[in-house]
Amino acid sequence: MEKLRQNTRDNERCVWHLLVNIIILIMAQAGQRSSIPQSKDHLLRSYNKRLKDDVRSMLENFTEIIKLAKVEEVGQVSQQTQGEQDHNEMQVRAANIVRAGESLMTLVADIKQFLILNDFPSVNEAITKRSRYLKGVQTDIDVKLIQLRDDLTKDLYDIEEEYYSSRYK
């Protein structure tokens, strides 16, 4: 039981450190902390709070489920009634763990969106790269159109010459 609690704490620390590092990375890419506008700083703090709350909720609910797994001595209620009550509480706590997990997935999506929307250098680089590519395509198309125009001009000249030199004009 103690080993399971220790593993749970270790897993919580790993998840916590991973998400904190992601937030720090976002803050570093957005610029120095002092240059982050108040709204972005507030947003990052809210991400941090959501992270702490969701991980704490998952840990507390998991710990309570483990506590419910213990077989207790005979109490004031019958074993069957106690078993049903424990089963219902486990279902509620499992649903809370799932809710916290979904909230963490939403948090990760929000962090990704924040990173995408606030990572101007990479967005500008992508736009520049796409612009260069499209200019190259435009140049190729222009060359082909000029070649097609020249071919059509030559063919039209030949056809006109044939027509005017024929007896069917």
Short mmCIF file of all heavy atoms in Angstrom, two decimals, residues 100-160:
data_model
loop_
_atom_site.label_atom_id
_atom_site.label_comp_id
_atom_site.label_asym_id
_atom_site.label_seq_id
_atom_site.Cartn_x
_atom_site.Cartn_y
_atom_site.Cartn_z
N ALA A 100 -11.03 15.10 -14.27
CA ALA A 100 -9.76 15.81 -14.11
C ALA A 100 -8.82 15.49 -15.28
O ALA A 100 -8.10 16.37 -15.76
CB ALA A 100 -9.10 15.43 -12.78
N GLY A 101 -8.83 14.24 -15.75
CA GLY A 101 -8.01 13.88 -16.91
C GLY A 101 -8.46 14.63 -18.16
O GLY A 101 -7.63 15.11 -18.94
N GLU A 102 -9.77 14.72 -18.37
CA GLU A 102 -10.28 15.48 -19.52
C GLU A 102 -9.92 16.96 -19.40
O GLU A 102 -9.59 17.61 -20.39
CB GLU A 102 -11.79 15.30 -19.64
CG GLU A 102 -12.19 13.91 -20.09
CD GLU A 102 -13.69 13.68 -20.06
OE1 GLU A 102 -14.43 14.50 -19.46
OE2 GLU A 102 -14.12 12.67 -20.62
N SER A 103 -9.97 17.46 -18.17
CA SER A 103 -9.59 18.85 -17.95
C SER A 103 -8.11 19.06 -18.26
O SER A 103 -7.73 20.08 -18.84
CB SER A 103 -9.89 19.24 -16.50
OG SER A 103 -9.50 20.56 -16.26
N LEU A 104 -7.27 18.08 -17.93
CA LEU A 104 -5.84 18.17 -18.26
C LEU A 104 -5.63 18.14 -19.77
O LEU A 104 -4.78 18.85 -20.30
CB LEU A 104 -5.06 17.04 -17.59
CG LEU A 104 -4.76 17.23 -16.11
CD1 LEU A 104 -4.10 15.97 -15.54
CD2 LEU A 104 -3.89 18.43 -15.87
N MET A 105 -6.41 17.31 -20.46
CA MET A 105 -6.28 17.26 -21.92
C MET A 105 -6.71 18.60 -22.52
O MET A 105 -6.09 19.09 -23.47
CB MET A 105 -7.10 16.10 -22.50
CG MET A 105 -6.49 14.76 -22.18
SD MET A 105 -7.19 13.28 -22.94
CE MET A 105 -8.80 13.66 -23.40
N THR A 106 -7.75 19.20 -21.98
CA THR A 106 -8.19 20.51 -22.44
C THR A 106 -7.10 21.54 -22.15
O THR A 106 -6.84 22.42 -22.98
CB THR A 106 -9.50 20.92 -21.74
OG1 THR A 106 -10.48 19.92 -21.99
CG2 THR A 106 -10.00 22.26 -22.23
N LEU A 107 -6.47 21.43 -20.99
CA LEU A 107 -5.39 22.34 -20.62
C LEU A 107 -4.23 22.23 -21.61
O LEU A 107 -3.68 23.23 -22.06
CB LEU A 107 -4.91 22.05 -19.20
CG LEU A 107 -3.71 22.86 -18.71
CD1 LEU A 107 -4.06 24.34 -18.65
CD2 LEU A 107 -3.25 22.37 -17.35
N VAL A 108 -3.87 21.00 -21.97
CA VAL A 108 -2.80 20.80 -22.94
C VAL A 108 -3.18 21.43 -24.29
O VAL A 108 -2.36 22.10 -24.93
CB VAL A 108 -2.47 19.30 -23.10
CG1 VAL A 108 -1.55 19.06 -24.28
CG2 VAL A 108 -1.82 18.76 -21.82
N ALA A 109 -4.42 21.25 -24.70
CA ALA A 109 -4.88 21.86 -25.96
C ALA A 109 -4.82 23.38 -25.86
O ALA A 109 -4.41 24.06 -26.82
CB ALA A 109 -6.30 21.40 -26.29
N ASP A 110 -5.21 23.94 -24.71
CA ASP A 110 -5.14 25.39 -24.53
C ASP A 110 -3.70 25.88 -24.57
O ASP A 110 -3.42 26.94 -25.14
CB ASP A 110 -5.79 25.80 -23.20
CG ASP A 110 -7.31 25.62 -23.20
OD1 ASP A 110 -7.88 25.44 -24.29
OD2 ASP A 110 -7.90 25.66 -22.10
N ILE A 111 -2.80 25.13 -23.95
CA ILE A 111 -1.39 25.52 -23.96
C ILE A 111 -0.84 25.47 -25.38
O ILE A 111 -0.11 26.37 -25.80
CB ILE A 111 -0.57 24.63 -23.00
CG1 ILE A 111 -0.93 24.95 -21.55
CG2 ILE A 111 0.93 24.81 -23.22
CD1 ILE A 111 -0.33 24.00 -20.54
N LYS A 112 -1.20 24.44 -26.13
CA LYS A 112 -0.77 24.36 -27.53
C LYS A 112 -1.30 25.54 -28.32
O LYS A 112 -0.58 26.15 -29.12
CB LYS A 112 -1.26 23.06 -28.17
CG LYS A 112 -0.52 21.83 -27.73
CD LYS A 112 -1.09 20.60 -28.40
CE LYS A 112 -0.42 19.33 -27.96
NZ LYS A 112 -1.03 18.15 -28.60
N GLN A 113 -2.57 25.88 -28.12
CA GLN A 113 -3.16 27.01 -28.83
C GLN A 113 -2.45 28.30 -28.44
O GLN A 113 -2.15 29.13 -29.29
CB GLN A 113 -4.65 27.10 -28.50
CG GLN A 113 -5.35 28.22 -29.23
CD GLN A 113 -6.82 28.29 -28.89
OE1 GLN A 113 -7.29 27.67 -27.94
NE2 GLN A 113 -7.57 29.05 -29.66
N PHE A 114 -2.16 28.46 -27.16
CA PHE A 114 -1.44 29.64 -26.69
C PHE A 114 -0.07 29.73 -27.36
O PHE A 114 0.34 30.79 -27.82
CB PHE A 114 -1.27 29.57 -25.17
CG PHE A 114 -0.46 30.70 -24.58
CD1 PHE A 114 -1.07 31.92 -24.32
CD2 PHE A 114 0.88 30.54 -24.30
CE1 PHE A 114 -0.34 32.96 -23.77
CE2 PHE A 114 1.62 31.58 -23.77
CZ PHE A 114 1.01 32.78 -23.50
N LEU A 115 0.61 28.60 -27.44
CA LEU A 115 1.93 28.57 -28.06
C LEU A 115 1.84 28.91 -29.54
O LEU A 115 2.63 29.69 -30.06
CB LEU A 115 2.58 27.20 -27.88
CG LEU A 115 3.97 27.02 -28.45
CD1 LEU A 115 4.94 28.00 -27.81
CD2 LEU A 115 4.46 25.61 -28.24
N ILE A 116 0.86 28.34 -30.22
CA ILE A 116 0.70 28.59 -31.66
C ILE A 116 0.37 30.06 -31.91
O ILE A 116 0.94 30.69 -32.79
CB ILE A 116 -0.39 27.68 -32.25
CG1 ILE A 116 0.12 26.24 -32.30
CG2 ILE A 116 -0.80 28.15 -33.65
CD1 ILE A 116 -0.96 25.22 -32.62
N LEU A 117 -0.55 30.61 -31.13
CA LEU A 117 -0.97 31.98 -31.35
C LEU A 117 0.07 33.01 -30.94
O LEU A 117 0.08 34.13 -31.45
CB LEU A 117 -2.27 32.26 -30.59
CG LEU A 117 -3.49 31.50 -31.09
CD1 LEU A 117 -4.69 31.81 -30.22
CD2 LEU A 117 -3.78 31.82 -32.54
N ASN A 118 0.96 32.65 -30.03
CA ASN A 118 1.93 33.61 -29.53
C ASN A 118 3.36 33.33 -29.99
O ASN A 118 4.29 33.94 -29.49
CB ASN A 118 1.88 33.66 -28.01
CG ASN A 118 0.58 34.23 -27.53
OD1 ASN A 118 0.23 35.34 -27.89
ND2 ASN A 118 -0.17 33.47 -26.77
N ASP A 119 3.52 32.42 -30.92
CA ASP A 119 4.85 32.10 -31.42
C ASP A 119 5.04 32.80 -32.77
O ASP A 119 5.05 32.17 -33.82
CB ASP A 119 5.02 30.58 -31.55
CG ASP A 119 6.44 30.19 -31.84
OD1 ASP A 119 7.34 31.03 -31.65
OD2 ASP A 119 6.67 29.04 -32.25
N PHE A 120 5.17 34.12 -32.73
CA PHE A 120 5.22 34.92 -33.95
C PHE A 120 6.44 34.62 -34.83
O PHE A 120 6.30 34.61 -36.05
CB PHE A 120 5.16 36.41 -33.61
CG PHE A 120 3.84 36.81 -33.01
CD1 PHE A 120 3.80 37.32 -31.73
CD2 PHE A 120 2.66 36.66 -33.71
CE1 PHE A 120 2.59 37.67 -31.16
CE2 PHE A 120 1.46 37.00 -33.15
CZ PHE A 120 1.42 37.52 -31.87
N PRO A 121 7.63 34.38 -34.28
CA PRO A 121 8.76 34.10 -35.17
C PRO A 121 8.55 32.88 -36.06
O PRO A 121 8.83 32.92 -37.26
CB PRO A 121 9.94 33.88 -34.21
CG PRO A 121 9.57 34.64 -32.98
CD PRO A 121 8.07 34.54 -32.89
N SER A 122 8.01 31.80 -35.50
CA SER A 122 7.80 30.61 -36.34
C SER A 122 6.66 30.82 -37.32
O SER A 122 6.70 30.32 -38.44
CB SER A 122 7.56 29.37 -35.48
OG SER A 122 6.35 29.48 -34.79
N VAL A 123 5.64 31.58 -36.91
CA VAL A 123 4.54 31.89 -37.83
C VAL A 123 5.06 32.73 -38.99
O VAL A 123 4.76 32.47 -40.16
CB VAL A 123 3.39 32.62 -37.09
CG1 VAL A 123 2.36 33.15 -38.06
CG2 VAL A 123 2.73 31.69 -36.08
N ASN A 124 5.87 33.73 -38.67
CA ASN A 124 6.45 34.57 -39.73
C ASN A 124 7.36 33.76 -40.64
O ASN A 124 7.37 33.97 -41.86
CB ASN A 124 7.22 35.74 -39.12
CG ASN A 124 6.31 36.78 -38.51
OD1 ASN A 124 5.13 36.85 -38.86
ND2 ASN A 124 6.82 37.56 -37.59
N GLU A 125 8.13 32.85 -40.06
CA GLU A 125 9.01 32.00 -40.87
C GLU A 125 8.19 31.12 -41.81
O GLU A 125 8.52 30.97 -42.99
CB GLU A 125 9.88 31.14 -39.97
CG GLU A 125 10.84 30.24 -40.71
CD GLU A 125 11.63 29.36 -39.76
OE1 GLU A 125 11.81 29.73 -38.60
OE2 GLU A 125 12.08 28.28 -40.21
N ALA A 126 7.10 30.55 -41.30
CA ALA A 126 6.24 29.71 -42.13
C ALA A 126 5.61 30.53 -43.26
O ALA A 126 5.53 30.06 -44.40
CB ALA A 126 5.15 29.05 -41.28
N ILE A 127 5.19 31.74 -42.94
CA ILE A 127 4.59 32.60 -43.97
C ILE A 127 5.63 32.96 -45.03
O ILE A 127 5.34 32.93 -46.23
CB ILE A 127 3.99 33.87 -43.32
CG1 ILE A 127 2.75 33.51 -42.52
CG2 ILE A 127 3.66 34.92 -44.37
CD1 ILE A 127 2.20 34.64 -41.67
N THR A 128 6.84 33.28 -44.59
CA THR A 128 7.92 33.63 -45.54
C THR A 128 8.26 32.45 -46.43
O THR A 128 8.41 32.60 -47.65
CB THR A 128 9.17 34.08 -44.76
OG1 THR A 128 8.82 35.17 -43.92
CG2 THR A 128 10.28 34.50 -45.70
N LYS A 129 8.35 31.26 -45.83
CA LYS A 129 8.67 30.06 -46.60
C LYS A 129 7.58 29.78 -47.63
O LYS A 129 7.87 29.48 -48.79
CB LYS A 129 8.82 28.86 -45.66
CG LYS A 129 9.35 27.60 -46.32
CD LYS A 129 9.42 26.44 -45.34
CE LYS A 129 10.56 26.67 -44.38
NZ LYS A 129 10.75 25.50 -43.48
N ARG A 130 6.33 29.89 -47.21
CA ARG A 130 5.20 29.65 -48.12
C ARG A 130 5.19 30.70 -49.23
O ARG A 130 4.92 30.40 -50.40
CB ARG A 130 3.89 29.68 -47.34
CG ARG A 130 2.66 29.42 -48.16
CD ARG A 130 2.57 27.99 -48.58
NE ARG A 130 1.32 27.79 -49.29
CZ ARG A 130 1.06 26.76 -50.04
NH1 ARG A 130 1.93 25.79 -50.15
NH2 ARG A 130 -0.08 26.67 -50.66
N SER A 131 5.49 31.94 -48.89
CA SER A 131 5.53 33.02 -49.88
C SER A 131 6.61 32.76 -50.92
O SER A 131 6.37 32.94 -52.12
CB SER A 131 5.78 34.35 -49.16
OG SER A 131 5.89 35.39 -50.09
N ARG A 132 7.80 32.34 -50.47
CA ARG A 132 8.88 32.01 -51.42
C ARG A 132 8.47 30.87 -52.34
O ARG A 132 8.72 30.92 -53.54
CB ARG A 132 10.15 31.62 -50.66
CG ARG A 132 10.91 32.80 -50.14
CD ARG A 132 12.28 32.36 -49.61
NE ARG A 132 12.61 33.20 -48.48
CZ ARG A 132 13.00 32.77 -47.29
NH1 ARG A 132 13.15 31.50 -47.07
NH2 ARG A 132 13.28 33.61 -46.33
N TYR A 133 7.85 29.86 -51.78
CA TYR A 133 7.41 28.72 -52.58
C TYR A 133 6.40 29.17 -53.64
O TYR A 133 6.51 28.80 -54.82
CB TYR A 133 6.80 27.64 -51.68
CG TYR A 133 6.10 26.55 -52.44
CD1 TYR A 133 6.81 25.57 -53.12
CD2 TYR A 133 4.71 26.50 -52.51
CE1 TYR A 133 6.18 24.58 -53.83
CE2 TYR A 133 4.06 25.52 -53.21
CZ TYR A 133 4.79 24.56 -53.87
OH TYR A 133 4.15 23.58 -54.58
N LEU A 134 5.42 29.97 -53.21
CA LEU A 134 4.39 30.41 -54.16
C LEU A 134 4.96 31.35 -55.22
O LEU A 134 4.51 31.33 -56.36
CB LEU A 134 3.24 31.07 -53.40
CG LEU A 134 2.40 30.12 -52.54
CD1 LEU A 134 1.36 30.88 -51.75
CD2 LEU A 134 1.75 29.04 -53.38
N LYS A 135 5.96 32.15 -54.86
CA LYS A 135 6.61 33.00 -55.87
C LYS A 135 7.34 32.15 -56.88
O LYS A 135 7.34 32.45 -58.08
CB LYS A 135 7.58 33.99 -55.20
CG LYS A 135 6.87 35.15 -54.57
CD LYS A 135 7.84 36.14 -53.98
CE LYS A 135 7.07 37.27 -53.32
NZ LYS A 135 7.97 38.26 -52.72
N GLY A 136 7.97 31.07 -56.44
CA GLY A 136 8.62 30.14 -57.36
C GLY A 136 7.62 29.48 -58.30
O GLY A 136 7.87 29.37 -59.51
N VAL A 137 6.49 29.06 -57.74
CA VAL A 137 5.43 28.48 -58.57
C VAL A 137 4.92 29.51 -59.57
O VAL A 137 4.71 29.20 -60.75
CB VAL A 137 4.27 27.95 -57.67
CG1 VAL A 137 3.06 27.59 -58.50
CG2 VAL A 137 4.73 26.77 -56.86
N GLN A 138 4.74 30.75 -59.13
CA GLN A 138 4.28 31.81 -60.02
C GLN A 138 5.28 32.04 -61.15
O GLN A 138 4.89 32.19 -62.31
CB GLN A 138 4.07 33.10 -59.24
CG GLN A 138 3.62 34.26 -60.10
CD GLN A 138 3.53 35.56 -59.32
OE1 GLN A 138 3.90 35.63 -58.15
NE2 GLN A 138 3.02 36.58 -59.98
N THR A 139 6.55 32.04 -60.82
CA THR A 139 7.59 32.23 -61.85
C THR A 139 7.54 31.09 -62.86
O THR A 139 7.61 31.33 -64.08
CB THR A 139 8.98 32.29 -61.19
OG1 THR A 139 8.98 33.34 -60.22
CG2 THR A 139 10.07 32.56 -62.21
N ASP A 140 7.42 29.86 -62.39
CA ASP A 140 7.32 28.71 -63.30
C ASP A 140 6.10 28.82 -64.21
O ASP A 140 6.18 28.56 -65.42
CB ASP A 140 7.24 27.39 -62.51
CG ASP A 140 8.54 27.06 -61.81
OD1 ASP A 140 9.59 27.65 -62.16
OD2 ASP A 140 8.50 26.19 -60.90
N ILE A 141 4.98 29.21 -63.65
CA ILE A 141 3.76 29.35 -64.45
C ILE A 141 3.92 30.47 -65.47
O ILE A 141 3.50 30.33 -66.63
CB ILE A 141 2.54 29.59 -63.53
CG1 ILE A 141 2.23 28.32 -62.75
CG2 ILE A 141 1.33 30.03 -64.33
CD1 ILE A 141 1.17 28.48 -61.69
N ASP A 142 4.53 31.58 -65.06
CA ASP A 142 4.77 32.69 -65.99
C ASP A 142 5.65 32.25 -67.16
O ASP A 142 5.37 32.59 -68.32
CB ASP A 142 5.41 33.88 -65.27
CG ASP A 142 4.43 34.62 -64.37
OD1 ASP A 142 3.20 34.40 -64.52
OD2 ASP A 142 4.90 35.40 -63.51
N VAL A 143 6.70 31.49 -66.86
CA VAL A 143 7.59 31.00 -67.91
C VAL A 143 6.82 30.09 -68.87
O VAL A 143 6.94 30.20 -70.10
CB VAL A 143 8.81 30.26 -67.30
CG1 VAL A 143 9.57 29.48 -68.35
CG2 VAL A 143 9.73 31.25 -66.60
N LYS A 144 6.00 29.22 -68.33
CA LYS A 144 5.21 28.31 -69.17
C LYS A 144 4.20 29.08 -70.01
O LYS A 144 3.97 28.75 -71.18
CB LYS A 144 4.52 27.25 -68.32
CG LYS A 144 5.48 26.23 -67.74
CD LYS A 144 4.78 25.24 -66.84
CE LYS A 144 5.78 24.28 -66.22
NZ LYS A 144 5.17 23.38 -65.26
N LEU A 145 3.57 30.10 -69.42
CA LEU A 145 2.61 30.90 -70.17
C LEU A 145 3.29 31.68 -71.30
O LEU A 145 2.75 31.78 -72.41
CB LEU A 145 1.88 31.87 -69.24
CG LEU A 145 0.76 31.27 -68.39
CD1 LEU A 145 0.24 32.30 -67.39
CD2 LEU A 145 -0.36 30.75 -69.26
N ILE A 146 4.47 32.22 -71.02
CA ILE A 146 5.21 32.93 -72.06
C ILE A 146 5.59 31.96 -73.19
O ILE A 146 5.46 32.29 -74.38
CB ILE A 146 6.45 33.62 -71.46
CG1 ILE A 146 5.99 34.80 -70.60
CG2 ILE A 146 7.40 34.10 -72.55
CD1 ILE A 146 7.11 35.44 -69.77
N GLN A 147 6.02 30.77 -72.82
CA GLN A 147 6.37 29.75 -73.82
C GLN A 147 5.14 29.38 -74.64
O GLN A 147 5.20 29.27 -75.87
CB GLN A 147 6.94 28.50 -73.12
CG GLN A 147 7.31 27.38 -74.06
CD GLN A 147 8.51 27.71 -74.92
OE1 GLN A 147 9.41 28.42 -74.48
NE2 GLN A 147 8.53 27.22 -76.13
N LEU A 148 4.00 29.21 -73.98
CA LEU A 148 2.76 28.88 -74.67
C LEU A 148 2.34 30.02 -75.60
O LEU A 148 1.94 29.78 -76.74
CB LEU A 148 1.65 28.60 -73.64
CG LEU A 148 0.30 28.16 -74.16
CD1 LEU A 148 0.43 26.84 -74.93
CD2 LEU A 148 -0.69 28.02 -73.03
N ARG A 149 2.47 31.26 -75.14
CA ARG A 149 2.15 32.42 -75.98
C ARG A 149 3.04 32.46 -77.22
O ARG A 149 2.56 32.67 -78.34
CB ARG A 149 2.32 33.70 -75.16
CG ARG A 149 1.93 34.95 -75.97
CD ARG A 149 2.46 36.19 -75.37
NE ARG A 149 3.92 36.18 -75.48
CZ ARG A 149 4.72 37.02 -74.86
NH1 ARG A 149 4.22 37.92 -74.06
NH2 ARG A 149 6.01 36.95 -75.01
N ASP A 150 4.33 32.23 -77.01
CA ASP A 150 5.26 32.24 -78.15
C ASP A 150 4.92 31.14 -79.15
O ASP A 150 4.93 31.35 -80.37
CB ASP A 150 6.71 32.11 -77.68
CG ASP A 150 7.18 33.33 -76.90
OD1 ASP A 150 6.52 34.39 -77.00
OD2 ASP A 150 8.21 33.21 -76.19
N ASP A 151 4.60 29.94 -78.63
CA ASP A 151 4.23 28.83 -79.52
C ASP A 151 2.95 29.15 -80.28
O ASP A 151 2.84 28.88 -81.49
CB ASP A 151 4.06 27.54 -78.73
CG ASP A 151 5.37 26.99 -78.19
OD1 ASP A 151 6.44 27.47 -78.64
OD2 ASP A 151 5.32 26.10 -77.31
N LEU A 152 1.97 29.71 -79.58
CA LEU A 152 0.71 30.06 -80.25
C LEU A 152 0.92 31.15 -81.29
O LEU A 152 0.32 31.11 -82.38
CB LEU A 152 -0.33 30.52 -79.22
CG LEU A 152 -1.00 29.42 -78.42
CD1 LEU A 152 -1.89 30.01 -77.34
CD2 LEU A 152 -1.82 28.51 -79.31
N THR A 153 1.76 32.14 -80.97
CA THR A 153 2.05 33.21 -81.93
C THR A 153 2.69 32.64 -83.19
O THR A 153 2.31 32.98 -84.31
CB THR A 153 2.98 34.25 -81.28
OG1 THR A 153 2.35 34.75 -80.11
CG2 THR A 153 3.28 35.39 -82.23
N LYS A 154 3.65 31.76 -82.99
CA LYS A 154 4.34 31.14 -84.13
C LYS A 154 3.36 30.31 -84.98
O LYS A 154 3.32 30.43 -86.21
CB LYS A 154 5.47 30.26 -83.62
CG LYS A 154 6.30 29.62 -84.70
CD LYS A 154 7.40 28.78 -84.08
CE LYS A 154 7.61 27.59 -84.96
NZ LYS A 154 8.17 26.46 -84.32
N ASP A 155 2.52 29.51 -84.27
CA ASP A 155 1.54 28.69 -84.99
C ASP A 155 0.50 29.56 -85.71
O ASP A 155 0.11 29.27 -86.85
CB ASP A 155 0.85 27.72 -84.04
CG ASP A 155 1.77 26.63 -83.55
OD1 ASP A 155 2.83 26.39 -84.19
OD2 ASP A 155 1.44 25.99 -82.52
N LEU A 156 0.06 30.60 -85.07
CA LEU A 156 -0.91 31.50 -85.69
C LEU A 156 -0.30 32.19 -86.91
O LEU A 156 -0.96 32.32 -87.95
CB LEU A 156 -1.39 32.55 -84.68
CG LEU A 156 -2.45 33.52 -85.16
CD1 LEU A 156 -3.72 32.78 -85.57
CD2 LEU A 156 -2.75 34.55 -84.09
N TYR A 157 0.92 32.59 -86.81
CA TYR A 157 1.61 33.21 -87.95
C TYR A 157 1.69 32.23 -89.12
O TYR A 157 1.40 32.60 -90.26
CB TYR A 157 3.02 33.67 -87.53
CG TYR A 157 3.76 34.35 -88.63
CD1 TYR A 157 3.47 35.65 -89.01
CD2 TYR A 157 4.76 33.67 -89.33
CE1 TYR A 157 4.16 36.27 -90.04
CE2 TYR A 157 5.45 34.28 -90.35
CZ TYR A 157 5.15 35.57 -90.70
OH TYR A 157 5.83 36.17 -91.73
N ASP A 158 2.05 30.97 -88.81
CA ASP A 158 2.12 29.95 -89.86
C ASP A 158 0.75 29.71 -90.48
O ASP A 158 0.62 29.58 -91.70
CB ASP A 158 2.67 28.64 -89.31
CG ASP A 158 4.15 28.72 -88.95
OD1 ASP A 158 4.83 29.66 -89.42
OD2 ASP A 158 4.61 27.84 -88.18
N ILE A 159 -0.27 29.66 -89.66
CA ILE A 159 -1.63 29.43 -90.18
C ILE A 159 -2.09 30.61 -91.02
O ILE A 159 -2.68 30.42 -92.09
CB ILE A 159 -2.61 29.17 -89.01
CG1 ILE A 159 -2.30 27.82 -88.35
CG2 ILE A 159 -4.05 29.20 -89.49
CD1 ILE A 159 -3.07 27.56 -87.08
N GLU A 160 -1.82 31.83 -90.56
CA GLU A 160 -2.21 33.00 -91.35
C GLU A 160 -1.47 33.03 -92.69
O GLU A 160 -2.07 33.35 -93.73
CB GLU A 160 -1.90 34.30 -90.58
CG GLU A 160 -2.86 34.59 -89.46
CD GLU A 160 -2.47 35.84 -88.69
OE1 GLU A 160 -1.33 36.34 -88.84
OE2 GLU A 160 -3.31 36.32 -87.92
#
